[in-house]
Amino acid sequence: MSDFPRWKYALVVLVLIFGVIYALPNVFKPSPALQIAPNRGQVVDDALKSKVQGILDQNKLAVTDVQVDLVAQRMLMKFPDAESRDKAADAVRPVLGDGYIVALNLASNVPSWLGAIHAGAMPLGLDLQGGVHFLMEVDQNSVQDKLETTYADDVRSLLRDKNIRYESVARNGRGAGIGIILKSDADRDAASSAIALDHPDLILVNGNNTGDRFVLNATVKPDKLRELAQSTIRQNLTTLRNRVNALGVSEPLIQQQGDNRIVVELAGVQDTAEAKKLLGAVATLQYREGLANPSDPRAQDAQRTGNIPPDANLVLGNHGEPYLVSKKIIVTGDELSDAASGFDQQTGTPKVDVVLNSAGARKMTDFSSAHVGKPMAVVYAERVTDTKVVDGKEVRTARTSERVINYATINSTLGKNFQTTGLASPTEASDLALLLKGGALAAPTDIVEEGVIGASLGADNIQKGVQAVLIGLGLVLLAAAFYYKLFGLVADVALFFNLILLMAVMSLIGVTLTMPGIAGIVLTLGMAIDANVLICERIREELRNGSTPLASIRAGYEKAWATILDANVTHLLAALGLMTMGSGPIRGFGVTLFIGILTSMFTSVTVTHAITALIHGGRKLKTLSV
Amino acid sequence: MEIFNHNSNFNFLGLRKFTVGLGVVLVIASVILVAVRGFNYGLDFTGGLSVQVAYSSPVEVSDVRQALVNAHFDDAVVVPVGGANGLQIKLPIRVVDEAGANLPADKRADKVRDEILAALKASRPDATVKDRSFVGAQVGEELRNDGYIAMIFVIIGIMGYLWIRFERRFAIAALATEVHDVLLTLGIFALTRREFDLTVLASVLAVVGYSINDKVVVFDRVRELFRASRNATPEEVLNRSINSTLSRTIITSLFTGITMAALYFIGGPVVHGFAITMLIGIVVGTLSSIFIASPILLWLGVSKKDLMPVTKDNPELARRP
């Protein structure tokens, strides 16, 4: 037909083929699977495969497929149902022990040729497959506190180095910078130029003078603060990722949300307690010089009177006994490269083997060689968050709870490898080892929101969602065919392809499918038919005005197009608004709507036009079935 | 098949004093309702604790409520979910906060959950806790603010587009009708005390999208008829526009309504709020497209000369919309 060019037919066919291929992977349901990966010095090989197979045979558990990837060092076993998978995990875990990470997983059953062209199924949101989610908040105040304290120390030592006399250098309170009080105007000028040279990130402003107090205020540049806040959250993301990997959850979602929040979604996990303990914990070890043990009267005095020597901290031990330890920390948990838990061979008590990084090892060597025969204390420091309600608002305060877990005499110079005993239980030892290994959180992070979605609830949701899509689609198909006859049927074909194309684009981009996303699909299907309603109504009008059938089709499409474009652009703006809304599930809805509007413009206009042209082209028509 | 007489020429504009008057009254009523009664904000917004409970055999909501009241959980809201054996118990954040000021937030939530389970087990030992979710109050507040900002951003964006593609008066008329639709939908929520959660807020935004779609179709016809007409009065043009798009306006509403009804009845409790908001929005939006948008255009003094394309000397361009 003359008014529908060949290249458009080609385009329609190509797009439809693309849609079918890329939507196809969603048909293949993933199987419940176990993923086994080596943890510490172990390997994945055929020996492991037969070992695991043996365990499963013993427990009479059927496996549908086993894949061993020697290059990626990973073994994947598929099971017929989630129940036998979970049983298998319980059976395999204790036998493999610490050396392997056994993770619950969903293995894709998409044929490899589809994988080769990057066609994959849409990942399912937590609401559709069950799991736990946490929203964590990074305490940026403590980052600022730490930064300002560091600057205050730096400024103090700088002034001392430059022989500039000062009365005091102190923080003015959070965000207000550092107040430096000097003795004369000349000193202030000298201090100002020295600080400006050494610390370009500080803004220096002269304050009010009172008598012989010359005030200089230094505040941190907002850029620097922002940069620090961003790097803090990046570091926390990395740390959380390490910790979650240690938990053995495959494909976790760990994402930044807003300026200082982190979303963690662990699909398939049903027990929040275990996950939470590891995610939120901010425990670390500190190695300090020991000053007095509980049998020392100084420690007892300090506990009784509260008079603590200025260079010391009073820290209690596992059983509440007092120790005096130096304020100065030799090495902290940040400065180690590896940690592993185990049992001390001589005493049988739980221990943590620690490997320090080079900076940490140097400090430890320097300290221990100078203090042979003197005591060293190992302090277990844990951050505890208190939340109180003050004037109807939540106020979070954090404190560090410290505990001496080990107090021993240095017998020889220590290097980078050594072990720490004195932990309360094997669980505490293995938790601490995981935490130390995962790295410290750059800033304290609190869980502000959490939820569990049961796996059965997820399965129920997805079943209901798919039913709603199919029944909604079916009803619209019927209604359109009934009301617009042949043109309605053409619109139906287009609407069906719209669903396929929408799924193809969502799969290709990798949009996570959630329940609100399914609602978005249903809404898109309902509104996509609007373009066809507009076209059909126009064609009817043209026919009533006495146009020939072919001219009516042409005019119908032409005149309706402007309206369709305006209506869809305004609708796209609304979808864009939804996409910019912060929260994940709502964004999923917005994204679905946005893609759906774009695909529906193509299918409702171009695809129906092509089919209409095919049906009516080259024929003499007296009437139209519309 | 046609439901509507294509030659209908109902004088919609003739009713404008009544219809717009009614619209204004309803908007004022909605504003008052929202201001006085407020929304029954969901957990997403207020913060709080939601505990999903399951029983091994059917249970009466009133019994569960009584069991909670006995344990001094007077503010607990009990909603049946997923058949007769499942329940959702919701507690405001205040109750969680009071549970133990010295504990971290998530520990407190655990404590309250355990207390609830203990209270339920006291009356029915077969009660089990399936899930629990916990939202901090501050998170909720931010979500709500984000949502309102998104809504304002969307309405301004749409206005700007209409201003450029059509004309200033169309943008203003669309804005006024949009505000009407959104406020009425919100008013119904305040009136019925249906739970207002994050999905509902999202669907209110979707209502904005749907309703503007509807208005643009009518406005498009208004522009076309103004350009084509020789000496028809604005009132005649507007009436003819509404009448000739009437069939489309209603058919599209029906089709979209069908899908949302399917979602409401089949999609389960997660999408109930979404589907019901869309259904309300579709009805309100359709009525306002017919009865409110055009009278506002008329009062704003829309005229033929405002709508003629700027490049009048090129007849080829002038034919295009």
Side-chain angles (χ1 to χ4, degrees):
Chain A
M1 193 166 139
S2 57
D3 65 338
F4 202 78
R6 279 232 168 104
W7 67 268
K8 275 199 178 175
Y9 281 119
L11 179 71
V12 167
V13 171
L14 281 178
V15 171
L16 293 188
I17 291 173
F18 157 84
V20 170
I21 289 177
Y22 280 88
L24 197 58
N26 295 295
V27 176
F28 300 95
K29 268 179 130 178
S31 311
L34 276 191
Q35 183 184 308
I36 301 180
N39 189 14
R40 209 175 297 132
Q42 305 284 353
V43 284
V44 167
D45 51 18
D46 287 329
L48 177 74
K49 181 182 165 181
S50 46
K51 185 177 171 187
V52 173
Q53 194 79 56
I55 303 168
L56 296 180
D57 289 344
Q58 241 172 40
N59 290 281
K60 296 196 176 60
L61 290 163
V63 186
T64 50
D65 187 24
V66 181
Q67 292 163 13
V68 178
D69 190 338
L70 294 173
V71 184
Q73 279 294 298
R74 192 169 82 104
M75 187 166 108
L76 200 68
M77 292 180 295
K78 292 183 188 172
F79 291 87
D81 52 68
E83 197 190 340
S84 61
R85 188 261 318 260
D86 294 349
K87 276 188 192 155
D90 292 341
V92 171
R93 269 187 184 136
V95 181
L96 294 186
D98 244 10
Y100 292 92
I101 297 171
V102 180
L104 304 183
N105 198 348
L106 283 177
S108 159
N109 282 323
V110 175
S112 54
W113 64 273
L114 279 172
I117 51 166
H118 296 286
M122 277 181 273
L124 297 182
L126 278 193
D127 51 350
L128 297 182
Q129 61 170 321
V132 293
H133 89 265
F134 299 99
L135 184 63
M136 311 182 80
E137 194 167 75
V138 179
D139 184 358
Q140 296 285 12
N141 282 339
S142 76
V143 176
Q144 196 170 4
D145 287 350
K146 207 165 144 191
L147 183 72
E148 286 180 351
T149 312
T150 313
Y151 270 122
D153 289 346
D154 287 358
V155 166
R156 231 174 268 134
S157 61
L158 178 72
L159 293 180
R160 227 175 289 133
D161 285 356
K162 301 269 178 198
N163 281 326
I164 299 168
R165 292 191 314 135
Y166 64 90
E167 195 180 301
S168 70
V169 175
R171 288 183 58 202
N172 295 337
R174 185 175 299 146
I178 304 154
I180 307 159
I181 299 168
L182 299 119
K183 300 278 190 191
S184 71
D185 207 10
D187 278 350
R188 183 164 66 183
D189 288 347
S192 187
S193 51
I195 295 169
L197 196 66
D198 263 32
H199 301 290
D201 289 325
L202 290 176
I203 303 168
L204 296 160
V205 180
N206 289 349
N208 295 331
N209 307 339
T210 47
D212 59 347
R213 290 158 54 89
F214 292 82
V215 180
L216 178 66
N217 283 316
T219 46
V220 185
K221 281 186 181 163
D223 282 356
K224 171 77 183 172
L225 268 180
R226 210 171 306 130
E227 192 188 300
L228 186 75
Q230 277 166 7
S231 75
T232 306
I233 201 153
R234 264 201 306 276
Q235 196 187 326
N236 275 0
L237 282 170
T238 315
T239 304
L240 287 176
R241 230 163 254 147
N242 290 337
R243 290 182 180 183
V244 168
N245 286 341
L247 257 184
V249 176
S250 56
E251 291 167 46
L253 177 104
I254 299 167
Q255 236 172 25
Q256 182 176 351
Q257 188 178 88
D259 287 336
N260 55 357
R261 297 229 176 90
I262 297 172
V263 181
V264 179
E265 290 193 349
L266 309 175
V269 175
Q270 294 290 312
D271 177 20
T272 46
E274 174 69 8
K276 211 161 58 186
K277 211 163 68 191
L278 205 56
L279 287 177
V282 203
T284 191
L285 287 183
Q286 295 170 350
Y287 294 88
R288 305 203 204 180
E289 187 184 352
L291 299 176
N293 62 18
S295 56
D296 191 316
R298 282 184 298 161
Q300 292 163 6
D301 280 357
Q303 190 182 27
R304 204 174 50 243
T305 61
N307 287 334
I308 298 158
D311 59 340
N313 281 127
L314 178 73
V315 182
L316 301 184
N318 282 337
H319 308 291
E321 68 279 18
Y323 291 92
L324 282 181
V325 298
S326 167
K327 271 187 179 166
K328 228 174 146 174
I329 298 166
I330 310 159
V331 172
T332 73
D334 300 0
E335 289 164 304
L336 50 86
S337 58
D338 200 7
S341 63
F343 291 94
D344 187 49
Q345 289 190 339
Q346 283 153 16
T347 60
T349 53
K351 63 160 187 178
V352 176
D353 286 315
V354 173
V355 183
L356 294 178
N357 65 16
S358 58
R362 203 169 47 240
K363 288 191 212 167
M364 185 53 82
T365 311
D366 289 353
F367 176 83
S368 55
S369 60
H371 292 80
V372 173
K374 288 184 180 160
M376 184 171 80
V378 184
V379 177
Y380 180 91
E382 191 178 16
R383 180 186 146 91
V384 185
T385 318
D386 298 332
T387 315
K388 282 188 185 128
V389 178
V390 178
D391 300 332
K393 286 214 163 131
E394 273 188 51
V395 179
R396 282 199 190 85
T397 49
R399 63 190 164 83
T400 309
S401 111
E402 292 176 338
R403 172 159 69 87
V404 172
I405 58 168
N406 188 313
Y407 191 91
T409 309
I410 302 172
N411 292 323
S412 61
T413 303
L414 296 169
K416 64 176 192 168
N417 292 301
F418 56 95
Q419 66 178 50
T420 297
T421 51
L423 289 141
S425 69
T427 329
E428 191 174 86
S430 67
D431 281 356
L432 180 65
L434 278 180
L435 282 178
L436 291 174
K437 211 164 95 150
L441 291 167
T445 304
D446 304 316
I447 294 174
V448 291
E449 186 184 310
E450 64 165 278
V452 202
I453 296 152
S456 58
L457 196 65
D460 194 37
N461 276 344
I462 197 162
Q463 192 203 346
K464 282 181 176 154
V466 170
Q467 265 177 17
V469 170
L470 293 181
I471 291 176
L473 178 72
L475 288 173
V476 172
L477 293 184
L478 274 180
F482 183 65
Y483 195 69
Y484 292 116
K485 300 186 194 78
L486 180 61
F487 274 77
L489 281 174
V490 171
D492 284 353
V493 174
L495 191 63
F496 184 69
F497 272 114
N498 186 27
L499 177 61
I500 290 177
L501 205 54
L502 174 59
M503 279 172 61
V505 175
M506 285 173 74
S507 306
L508 191 61
I509 304 176
V511 179
T512 303
L513 190 67
T514 57
M515 213 47 203
I518 290 181
I521 294 179
V522 179
L523 181 63
T524 307
L525 292 179
M527 294 194 64
I529 201 79
D530 180 49
N532 297 107
V533 174
L534 280 165
I535 293 166
C536 291
E537 292 289 329
R538 274 293 182 166
I539 294 175
R540 283 181 176 181
E541 259 178 70
E542 293 297 321
L543 285 173
R544 281 197 292 270
N545 293 345
S547 300
T548 64
L550 286 182
S552 296
I553 294 176
R554 190 181 306 135
Y557 272 94
E558 227 167 65
K559 286 185 175 171
W561 172 244
T563 316
I564 293 170
L565 187 68
D566 281 341
N568 279 301
V569 169
T570 45
H571 200 195
L572 272 180
L573 285 171
L576 207 61
L578 279 165
M579 277 163 71
T580 56
M581 264 175 73
S583 175
I586 303 309
R587 197 160 51 222
F589 169 71
V591 171
T592 313
L593 204 58
F594 191 86
I595 300 171
I597 295 166
L598 292 178
T599 54
S600 77
M601 273 169 80
F602 178 78
T603 53
S604 303
V605 181
T606 315
V607 173
T608 59
H609 204 170
I611 300 173
T612 312
L614 262 184
I615 297 172
H616 299 97
R619 285 201 284 155
K620 288 251 184 289
L621 297 166
K622 285 210 178 69
T623 56
L624 283 180
S625 168
V626 61
Chain B
M1 188 185 109
E2 284 186 42
I3 298 175
F4 304 96
N5 177 9
H6 56 259
N7 284 322
S8 75
N9 197 11
F10 189 81
N11 186 4
F12 289 105
L13 270 285
L15 298 171
R16 64 178 179 270
K17 286 209 176 103
F18 171 70
T19 56
V20 176
L22 185 66
V24 171
V25 169
L26 288 176
V27 164
I28 293 170
S30 298
V31 171
I32 293 172
L33 268 174
V34 171
V36 177
R37 276 172 81 100
F39 296 119
N40 174 16
Y41 278 119
L43 222 54
D44 300 356
F45 292 133
T46 57
L49 181 71
S50 154
V51 182
Q52 300 259 355
V53 187
Y55 286 86
S56 55
S57 59
V59 63
E60 286 293 321
V61 171
S62 53
D63 294 347
V64 174
R65 198 168 288 139
Q66 192 54 46
L68 290 170
V69 170
N70 291 345
H72 304 290
F73 285 110
D74 297 326
D75 295 326
V77 178
V78 184
V79 193
V81 285
N85 299 356
L87 290 166
Q88 188 193 20
I89 297 167
K90 288 191 290 180
L91 287 168
I93 192 83
R94 188 174 39 76
V95 176
V96 184
D97 287 337
E98 286 163 0
N102 298 323
L103 293 168
D106 47 307
K107 296 256 167 54
R108 260 178 298 157
D110 283 339
K111 190 178 163 208
V112 175
R113 176 199 55 192
D114 295 342
E115 284 171 13
I116 285 182
L117 185 61
L120 296 180
K121 276 196 188 287
S123 72
R124 281 274 299 265
D126 60 332
T128 49
V129 167
K130 270 166 76 185
D131 318 326
R132 79 151 170 84
S133 53
F134 164 68
V135 184
Q138 199 196 347
V139 182
E141 201 167 307
E142 270 170 43
L143 284 177
R144 187 166 41 191
N145 294 343
D146 278 1
Y148 290 139
I149 289 167
M151 203 180 299
I152 292 166
F153 160 83
V154 164
I155 290 180
I156 290 175
I158 289 171
M159 253 188 97
Y161 180 80
L162 292 183
W163 198 311
I164 295 163
R165 276 284 287 179
F166 289 79
E167 202 252 338
R168 179 172 51 92
R169 291 177 184 86
F170 287 84
I172 296 170
L175 173 71
T177 335
E178 255 343 286
V179 170
H180 163 271
D181 295 352
V182 169
L183 285 178
L184 238 59
T185 311
L186 293 179
I188 292 173
F189 261 84
L191 180 72
T192 58
R193 303 289 294 166
R194 275 196 81 91
E195 185 173 319
F196 193 90
D197 61 12
L198 202 55
T199 22
V200 172
L201 183 62
S203 55
V204 171
L205 268 166
V207 167
V208 172
Y210 177 84
S211 143
I212 199 73
N213 197 330
D214 234 24
K215 266 103 219 161
V216 165
V217 173
V218 180
F219 286 177
D220 211 74
R221 189 59 70 100
V222 171
R223 178 172 60 182
E224 184 188 323
L225 291 181
F226 260 121
R227 283 177 186 171
S229 72
R230 289 194 183 278
N231 42 19
T233 64
E235 194 174 340
E236 281 167 9
V237 169
L238 288 170
N239 251 331
R240 209 139 39 90
S241 305
I242 301 172
N243 275 295
S244 51
T245 52
L246 188 63
S247 151
R248 174 265 155 199
T249 306
I250 292 176
I251 288 298
T252 295
S253 305
L254 280 179
F255 282 8
T256 316
I258 288 173
T259 57
M260 286 300 111
L263 192 64
Y264 180 82
F265 288 112
I266 301 157
V270 186
V271 288
H272 264 176
F274 177 87
I276 201 85
T277 318
M278 278 311 295
L279 284 169
I280 296 170
I282 289 169
V283 173
V284 173
T286 306
L287 292 177
S288 73
S289 305
I290 299 171
F291 292 106
I292 304 217
S294 298
I296 295 178
L297 268 184
L298 185 69
W299 278 325
L300 288 171
V302 68
S303 68
K304 180 181 167 78
K305 84 174 176 336
D306 298 325
L307 289 168
M308 292 317 279
V310 189
T311 47
K312 277 177 191 159
D313 44 352
N314 186 341
E316 175 57 34
L317 279 178
R319 274 201 290 121
R320 294 189 189 165

